[in-house]
Amino acid sequence: MAAPSAPTSDLDRTRLQAMLDREREAFAASHPKSLALAERAKGALLHGVPMPWMQKWAGGAPVFLAEARGARVTDVDGNEYVDVALGDTGSLPGHSPQATVDAITERISGRGGITTMMPTEDAIAVGEELGRRFGVPAWQFALSATDANRFALRMARQVQRRSRIMIFLHAYHGTVDETVATLDEQGHVVAREGNVGAPVDPALTTKVVPFNDLDAVRAALAPRDVAVVIAEPAMTNVGMVLPEDGFLKGLEEACAETGTLLIYDETHTMSMGTGGCVRAWNLNPDAVTLGKALGAGVPIGAYGLSEDFAARVVADREGDYLDWGGVGGTLAGNALSLAAARATLTDVLTDEAYGAMLLTCEHYVAGVQDVFAKHGAPWHIVGLGSRAEFGFTPHAHATGADAHDAIDPLLDDRIHAALLNRGVMLTPFHNMALVGPATTVADVDRVVGALDAVVGEIFTQAA
């Protein structure tokens, strides 16, 4: 990706690269065991990691994990970090929260049984609690948010008897084939650059419109060939793009007018509170999808359907929902995942916990704003509950395209590598920080202090 046109393009790119090189040299000196394991992994693991995204660490090699607890991570070299990445939301409840650990231990060594293709009472309790939080009553479980999205989309197409879905430009809903799409310069739907082995042309399956553009939404839905819109209430995978006043209400009205179903993907936006944005903003979806944090890191996804949507699924006689029809999975809904989810919802991600998390995140946002102001950095920060992300423009963005075009990979890497060397673990894919129940004000102050040093060096050099 080329350097952005403004406002960071005036930074000396050669100097910025030299600063990154120095940080990577320092990283190598303090992470010899991680580097040795990374070299060894090349002989056993594709891309040298168990999952490709793990190569994204800016230090020049993956940071290999030794221990994690609460809001702290220790690598194999003994380096400890304040972790505000929290597994890119997968560990929003904190690493190994005790209540979840106890439930997992009891499930495995007490009652026994991890996966049996049998339901447990925990599953009912989790469905009831998610229904209370998100306002949709009929839940099923998967092993990831990707699968939850995939299954909900399939059900929507089936009962709607319509073939297309609609997404927002630069949205991300996991590795669901139909959602890995974008627009070319002429406004035509095409596969996103680098889309690996796309099974069909996404122009046959998907419509793509800009976020916060109700006219584009209405135009896309007008032919009534879209079965379902899937959207994050706020975009979170291309920086942070919040909905403008009236946009989500207008989206819901446009869907209702055209008989289009609406799914809110709350996998990341559950940072907003116990019921995500759906509860905080009084939204009215036909389905909600979740994953990642629900089991405090134990693999799980969930999708909940409204009463009407669920009734249509149950009444449908053409789809095979119980066997070969393309939904479900042998390990989905397993006893371990549901035990972890029940404990996490009941004892970790509570209303009280979120109240403290939101206050701590406000402290982080204020600290970062002070850093930017102190050094004259042309950046902004956007908060969403216990989640916050800074970007490289003076103002937040209204569309995914604007947010995408402002990304500066070299500057990102320089900041991330420098923070790693200062004991701070920021999400490697973006400049996103999460505050969990175990994150303290002192943790936030350490993160802000490290960022202060890094930003100050960049802009002192720039001057």
Side-chain angles (χ1 to χ4, degrees):
M1 183 185 298
S5 58
T8 59
S9 58
D10 59 348
L11 292 173
D12 185 326
R13 314 309 288 183
T14 301
R15 186 184 296 275
L16 202 57
Q17 181 64 56
M19 294 167 72
L20 173 59
D21 292 342
R22 289 197 300 271
E23 293 293 348
R24 286 179 169 168
E25 289 173 5
F27 178 90
S30 60
H31 295 76
K33 292 182 180 179
S34 276
L35 266 64
L37 287 173
E39 190 62 30
R40 175 184 165 194
K42 293 177 182 178
L45 305 174
L46 182 64
H47 304 299
V49 284
M51 195 274 285
W53 304 350
M54 294 180 183
Q55 269 290 0
K56 293 287 287 183
W57 293 102
V63 181
F64 276 76
L65 172 68
E67 301 175 7
R69 181 72 66 177
R72 297 297 178 103
V73 166
T74 303
D75 67 24
V76 292
D77 289 287
N79 301 301
E80 185 183 75
Y81 307 86
V82 175
D83 183 11
V84 288
L86 293 176
D88 193 28
T89 308
S91 288
L92 173 64
H95 298 295
S96 300
Q98 194 59 52
T100 308
V101 170
D102 290 344
I104 292 168
T105 302
E106 170 60 20
R107 179 74 264 171
I108 294 174
S109 61
R111 291 172 289 174
I114 296 173
T115 188
T116 61
M117 288 287 284
M118 297 167 63
T120 62
E121 191 268 337
D122 286 338
I124 302 172
V126 172
E128 290 171 340
E129 177 62 11
L130 291 176
R132 183 189 72 81
R133 293 187 180 208
F134 291 94
V136 290
W139 289 84
Q140 290 231 301
F141 302 100
L143 287 176
S144 68
T146 290
D147 276 346
N149 286 331
R150 181 179 292 117
F151 300 156
L153 289 172
R154 291 182 72 113
M155 289 183 182
R157 284 197 302 267
Q158 176 67 22
V159 301
Q160 292 280 79
R161 304 299 194 264
R162 298 179 182 179
S163 62
R164 294 178 183 269
I165 71 167
M166 193 190 90
I167 65 170
F168 289 102
L169 183 61
H170 292 295
Y172 181 74
H173 299 286
T175 55
V176 178
D177 290 324
E178 309 96 283
T179 67
V180 191
T182 189
L183 298 175
D184 64 15
E185 293 182 357
Q186 288 74 45
H188 301 135
V189 176
V190 295
R192 291 184 70 161
E193 184 178 359
N195 189 350
V196 177
V200 297
D201 182 351
L204 301 175
T205 63
T206 307
K207 294 186 179 183
V208 182
V209 302
F211 198 68
N212 282 321
D213 188 339
L214 278 177
D215 288 339
V217 168
R218 294 187 183 104
L221 298 185
R224 297 176 182 258
D225 57 349
V226 173
V228 59
V229 174
I230 183 168
E232 288 186 295
M235 295 182 71
T236 65
N237 272 281
V238 61
M240 197 108 77
V241 181
L242 300 181
E244 295 179 343
D245 289 345
F247 174 69
L248 295 180
K249 181 180 179 181
L251 171 63
E252 292 177 1
E253 290 174 347
C255 286
E257 290 167 3
T258 56
T260 307
L261 295 175
L262 174 60
I263 300 170
Y264 283 132
D265 180 350
E266 290 261 35
T267 301
H268 282 172
T269 56
M270 64 186 295
S271 64
M272 191 64 185
T274 50
C277 292
V278 165
R279 182 175 177 182
W281 297 343
N282 194 30
L283 305 179
N284 295 286
D286 297 290
V288 173
T289 56
L290 302 166
K292 293 193 178 184
L294 184 56
V298 175
I300 187 170
Y303 54 106
L305 309 186
S306 68
E307 185 175 354
D308 179 70
F309 189 0
R312 293 176 66 187
V313 169
V314 172
D316 179 49
R317 294 293 177 260
E318 295 183 16
D320 185 352
Y321 299 92
L322 304 182
D323 197 356
W324 290 90
V327 297
T330 301
L331 299 182
N334 69 79
L336 183 63
S337 293
L338 271 303
R342 183 177 187 177
T344 301
L345 292 172
T346 301
D347 297 315
V348 185
L349 292 180
T350 62
D351 286 322
E352 294 76 16
Y354 268 107
M357 290 157 61
L358 269 56
L359 288 174
T360 306
C361 193
E362 288 175 6
H363 183 71
Y364 171 75
V365 170
V368 174
Q369 287 173 333
D370 288 344
V371 167
F372 295 161
K374 174 182 176 181
H375 299 292
W379 299 350
H380 67 272
I381 186 166
V382 178
L384 188 72
S386 64
R387 181 186 187 99
E389 184 158 357
F390 58 81
F392 307 127
T393 57
H395 306 288
H397 305 287
T399 70
D402 288 344
H404 177 269
D405 291 346
I407 294 173
D408 186 336
L410 177 58
L411 186 55
D412 276 356
D413 282 353
R414 190 265 179 270
I415 292 170
H416 286 231
L419 289 178
L420 282 175
N421 286 333
R422 289 159 177 79
V424 172
M425 191 165 280
L426 197 67
T427 304
F429 320 115
H430 7 199
N431 300 307
M432 187 274 290
L434 277 170
V435 168
T439 308
T440 66
V441 169
D443 291 334
V444 166
D445 288 342
R446 180 172 167 184
V447 174
V448 171
L451 187 64
D452 183 20
V454 174
V455 172
E457 183 181 4
I458 292 170
F459 279 85
T460 297
Q461 295 282 11

